[in-house]
Amino acid sequence: MLSKVSSGAVIGIDAYVVEVEVDISAGLPSFTTVGLPEASVKESKERVKAAIQNSGYAFPDDRITINLAPADIKKEGTGLDLPIALGILAALGLIPKDVLADYMIMGELSLDGRVKPVRGALPAALTALRAGYRGIMVPRDNSREAAVVREISVLPVTHLAQVVDFYRGLAAIPPVEANLDEVFSESEHYGDDFSDVMGQEHVKRALEVAAAGAHNLMMIGPPGSGKTMLARRIPSILPPMTFDESIETTRIYSVVGGLEKDQALVVRRPFRSPHHTISDAGLIGGGRIPRPGEVSLAHNGVLFLDELPEFKKNVLEVLRQPLEDLSVTISRVNSSLTYPAAFMLISAMNPCPCGYQGDAAHECRCSPSQIDRYRSRISGPLLDRIDIHVEVPAVPYQELAAGTPAESSPAIRRRVSAARTLQTRRFSRANIHCNAQMGSRHIRKHCAIDKASADLLATAVSRLGLSARAYNRILKISRTIADLDGSETVRIDHLSEAIQYRSLDRRGRP
């Protein structure tokens, strides 16, 4: 007695079709799973047996062999429970075998037969669509997530008996549809707003420039100056996510189990703020079974590293590849996985170990050698990859007490979105989306400057000792400032503002 059921498993942030073959033959009672199953898949035999019996069906006292094809790829996760149970029931003749081929099926079984949510429902739905299935059957808690793939029927299931009745023609399962307009309307509401921040107008301007061009930014200031408060409000001024961006980000959160119950899509730009004790694998991704790290969870959003010098040096150095390539490649003996990692890096640090260098209200007791050691924890190559450096001084009491209304996030967001629209139009034929992603060829084409501006830039390079990468960063920032100004050309005032955002590039590093 042989039956076949189609299911799916996740590798990286993509899914692939897994054919579950079930053979029941005469012999001593046994339950064998082959096809490189991981521990969670091997343990499914106990869940499947209890679920079948507690749903009112007889479990066979025969030799059961489960083959998971393709057999050369490791299978992990609990999403194969439901297809294995259905394969056994089909092999026993309780379900017609010919109807199982229409749907891809995923779901974890509890001991009483309930179907519990799994990871990777969205990638599985996309794979089912490409593979030509009529639809996909997923746990109800995953149904809204899978239903964003409109071209395929998504059937939500809650119990093994419900699925059996569906395949026997005794009950119908209405497909789920996602209202994307309603889902994306949630992205317009942010709890944090720039109107809450008193003072710091020059810092807000730097954050607006960074958001407009997706530039990496570092804030340097004493404790309590508002660096974290400002960073947490950056997503509120970024342009709304497009559908493609939302799908790509949701795939990452789907495979790590980061979606909330009944959440269809990630529609707000992510904001990730890992603690400084994080490991390099936690930041970049990895593990025995590779998983996306914080840089990938921040894809299309913001990665905020507070107290940057407190991070381990090896952890900071592994950031260099994703900052340049916008992706992370994790290699293992048997495979190599690439995760997207196009994020804005926002970092914050104190100017010295005690935090009060240059603060008029507090005396700094740090020696020059202590300050040098503290700042040397951040390497020059990493600093080169941070486009904007901005000083964040403590806010005077008068500004805090004045209560002067500050500009709101929606107002800033409109200017940022207009600048991003210009960049989208400019790079419509290139494989980039914003000024921060420009290469040398794009810089030569879109960041041309006149002689006066060139002389100013030459002076800055000479006096500040800028590297070639810092030189290019200044031109990119100038282009973004020009876009915010609605200017077709980069003027000398745009260049002057861009140069002042490279304060840590001075020789000897302050």
Side-chain angles (χ1 to χ4, degrees), residues 186-203:
E186 301 172 2
S187 67
E188 300 175 1
H189 308 290
Y190 285 87
D192 297 323
D193 195 283
F194 268 93
S195 61
D196 303 329
V197 183
M198 298 294 118
Q200 306 289 23
E201 296 304 322
H202 72 291
V203 184

Side-chain angles (χ1 to χ4, degrees), residues 251-415:
R251 287 166 60 197
I252 299 171
Y253 278 77
S254 178
V255 300
V256 300
L259 295 178
E260 299 177 3
K261 183 179 178 181
D262 293 328
Q263 183 179 5
L265 281 173
V266 176
V267 293
R268 294 180 183 173
R269 294 194 180 272
F271 180 88
R272 305 293 299 186
S273 180
H275 193 260
H276 62 77
T277 56
I278 192 171
S279 66
D280 52 356
L283 187 64
I284 296 298
R288 186 178 61 86
I289 301 174
R291 296 282 188 186
E294 290 291 333
V295 297
S296 295
L297 293 172
H299 182 59
N300 290 320
V302 174
L303 177 68
F304 177 50
L305 301 184
D306 202 1
E307 304 296 342
L308 189 65
E310 301 301 327
F311 284 79
K312 298 174 185 175
K313 196 173 186 71
N314 66 301
V315 172
L316 293 179
E317 291 308 302
V318 296
L319 276 174
R320 287 156 62 174
Q321 185 221 346
L323 286 174
E324 285 294 319
D325 300 340
L326 308 181
S327 63
V328 173
T329 300
I330 300 173
S331 298
R332 293 292 182 266
V333 174
N334 296 323
S335 63
S336 180
L337 300 176
T338 299
Y339 298 117
F343 58 90
M344 276 181 62
L345 174 63
I346 305 297
S347 57
M349 62 177 287
N350 296 329
C352 65
C354 76
Y356 293 113
Q357 184 193 34
D359 188 357
H362 299 84
E363 181 182 358
C364 174
R365 300 179 180 273
C366 303
S367 66
S369 61
Q370 288 176 318
I371 296 174
D372 286 343
R373 281 197 302 270
Y374 177 73
R375 297 191 176 184
S376 65
R377 297 178 188 175
I378 306 171
S379 68
L382 179 60
L383 270 180
D384 274 350
R385 289 166 171 81
I386 299 177
D387 302 349
I388 296 175
H389 315 146
V390 60
E391 305 285 342
V392 187
V395 181
Y397 170 77
Q398 292 79 4
E399 292 189 23
L400 291 174
T404 305
E407 190 174 27
S408 67
S409 290
I412 302 174
R413 192 183 198 184
R414 283 192 289 271
R415 295 196 296 270

Side-chain angles (χ1 to χ4, degrees), residues 9 38-42 44 47 75-81 108 118-119 289 291:
E38 289 288 334
S40 58
V41 180
K42 292 179 181 179
S44 67
R47 295 189 296 270
K75 321 298 186 306
E76 58 97 17
T78 55
L80 297 173
D81 289 4
E108 176 186 341
V118 296
R119 298 177 179 179
I289 301 174
R291 296 282 188 186

Side-chain angles (χ1 to χ4, degrees), residues 5 17 22 52 67 128 152 155 172 273 365 469:
V5 183
V17 176
V22 180
I52 288 176
N67 180 45
I152 195 169
L155 303 186
S273 180
R365 300 179 180 273
R469 185 178 283 114

